[in-house]
Amino acid sequence: KKGAGSGDWLLMDSSGREVTTSVSKYRIMNWTQINPRDLRIIDPVFCYPSAILCREKAIVLNLEHIKAIITSEKVLLRNPTDENAIPVVQELRRVLKSEERTDDPFEFRVLEVVLEGICSYLSARSIEMDNQVYPALDLLTSKITSRNFDDVRRLKSQITRLTSRVHKVQDELEKLLDDEYEMECLYLSRK
């Protein structure tokens, strides 16, 4: 079975240098000092819900299509060529290679890019749904047919799934924000 270590990973450091590579899970565990159980949340073999885990030397992140391990100096991003991950990768490149240096720790800059990317992705999906729902509802109100009714029912199911995904991300962020200890753990550079 392929696990969390197999597949493409994008490794980027604080100066924006990057390399796409296949990394074994044992090398990842050794490098980040996270345990195998934590690594499982980003394993494509398993279906884990959204999660942000703060560990001694790394943040393990599984939110929507973004699966990453962030340290104080590097980020490992899983499947960087996935069409939904590409905007996050491009923004990471821009932010990390920027001439304008900030005093923000590396892990915070990466976390900000990732969270903005996920929010933008979910917002775009919401706008797409709006663009489909209103015409379908207008059509149903003007002419009630089984086909129009089925279209609205299908869209309702899609909206329900999207809403559930948004709530999972929201719940994970709120859980993190409400826990002062976990918030302190995010500051990896200080350790």
Side-chain angles (χ1 to χ4, degrees):
K1 264 187 185 179
K2 288 190 172 190
S6 58
D8 286 339
W9 289 88
L10 177 67
L11 176 65
M12 295 181 83
D13 68 12
S14 59
S15 63
R17 288 186 301 256
E18 64 182 80
V19 63
T20 302
T21 185
S22 289
V23 184
S24 75
K25 66 181 175 181
Y26 301 105
R27 187 167 169 209
I28 293 171
M29 290 185 308
N30 185 39
W31 171 55
T32 60
Q33 295 184 0
I34 58 176
N35 63 47
R37 182 183 64 238
D38 294 339
L39 197 56
R40 287 176 61 161
I41 74 160
I42 57 175
D43 194 324
V45 172
F46 303 104
C47 184
Y48 276 90
S50 295
I52 302 172
L53 303 177
C54 301
R55 297 301 182 248
E56 182 68 26
K57 296 192 178 212
I59 300 166
V60 183
L61 185 131
N62 175 18
L63 293 175
E64 282 295 308
H65 51 278
I66 302 296
K67 295 172 185 348
I69 300 172
I70 305 166
T71 70
S72 61
E73 299 168 344
K74 297 178 181 160
V75 59
L76 264 174
L77 186 66
R78 185 159 191 56
N79 296 328
T81 56
D82 176 273
E83 69 176 281
N84 297 319
I86 289 173
V88 172
V89 171
Q90 291 172 337
E91 185 62 11
L92 276 172
R93 286 178 181 140
R94 189 191 68 73
V95 167
L96 297 178
K97 291 180 180 179
S98 173
E99 295 293 322
E100 187 178 313
R101 295 286 175 198
T102 67
D103 292 334
D104 295 336
F106 173 78
E107 62 271 23
F108 291 162
R109 289 185 288 153
V110 171
L111 202 52
E112 181 179 21
V113 168
V114 168
L115 293 176
E116 283 180 1
I118 291 166
C119 290
S120 295
Y121 171 80
L122 291 171
S123 178
R125 298 301 77 74
S126 176
I127 291 168
E128 286 174 10
M129 290 304 305
D130 281 352
N131 292 336
Q132 294 176 33
V133 167
Y134 290 114
L137 287 173
D138 288 342
L139 194 57
L140 182 63
T141 57
S142 66
K143 186 173 184 183
I144 299 175
T145 66
S146 59
R147 180 173 184 215
N148 291 346
F149 189 70
D150 286 343
D151 286 345
V152 170
R153 189 178 317 155
R154 179 185 49 80
L155 289 169
K156 180 185 180 278
S157 294
Q158 290 175 2
I159 290 171
T160 301
R161 284 192 301 272
L162 178 62
T163 302
S164 175
R165 290 166 52 197
V166 169
H167 285 299
K168 286 177 186 174
V169 171
Q170 179 183 7
D171 291 346
E172 191 59 33
L173 290 174
E174 285 178 358
K175 185 174 81 173
L176 181 68
L177 291 170
D178 289 341
D179 188 331
E180 287 190 38
Y181 176 74
E182 288 290 311
M183 290 293 290
E184 283 181 38
C185 288
L186 288 175
Y187 196 178
L188 301 173
S189 298
R190 185 181 59 194
K191 297 177 185 172

